[in-house]
Amino acid sequence: MRPFAKREVIPAKKLTGKAMDNFIRNGATTYFHQAGTCRMGKDTKAVVDAKLRMNGVQNLRIADSSIMPRIVGVATMAACVLIGERMAEILAKA
């Protein structure tokens, strides 16, 4: 598996000082999920309407965290599951 390894997640040897600083600095990242980039709403800046249709584009709907007008205070994955369920309901009625 060595050819597939990009870098160590946990150092194999004890690091101190500058070596530890560099390891942390080079490995730091975020695990935040983007949300609200195609937000739903009724104003002119909204990208998606209440039926998850993209404004100005026919036959395109968006059902992911990008439609959230505000980022939820819970795990975004749970909210995305509910958005998907809502999309299923909308499409079943269409």
Side-chain angles (χ1 to χ4, degrees):
M1 298 297 289
R2 181 154 303 281
F4 301 104
K6 300 277 185 199
R7 68 177 219 52
E8 295 177 318
V9 176
I10 299 173
K13 59 184 178 185
K14 184 172 180 165
L15 300 177
T16 59
K18 191 71 171 167
M20 179 58 92
D21 289 347
N22 288 336
F23 184 83
I24 293 170
R25 186 171 288 111
N26 293 332
T29 186
T30 70
Y31 291 95
F32 295 118
H33 302 283
Q34 293 297 320
T37 56
C38 296
R39 74 176 181 80
M40 179 172 42
K42 294 180 181 179
D43 63 319
T44 58
K45 293 183 180 180
V47 177
V48 178
D49 68 11
K51 292 189 177 182
L52 307 181
R53 296 177 295 210
M54 184 168 182
N55 295 327
V57 180
Q58 289 184 345
N59 301 319
L60 178 62
R61 294 180 191 251
I62 301 175
D64 61 20
S65 65
S66 65
I67 70 161
M68 296 176 188
R70 287 180 291 284
I71 299 172
V72 294
V74 297
T76 53
M77 191 281 297
C80 287
V81 169
L82 293 175
I83 292 168
E85 290 288 330
R86 180 67 182 130
M87 174 65 87
E89 290 174 0
I90 291 168
L91 293 176
K93 291 179 183 177

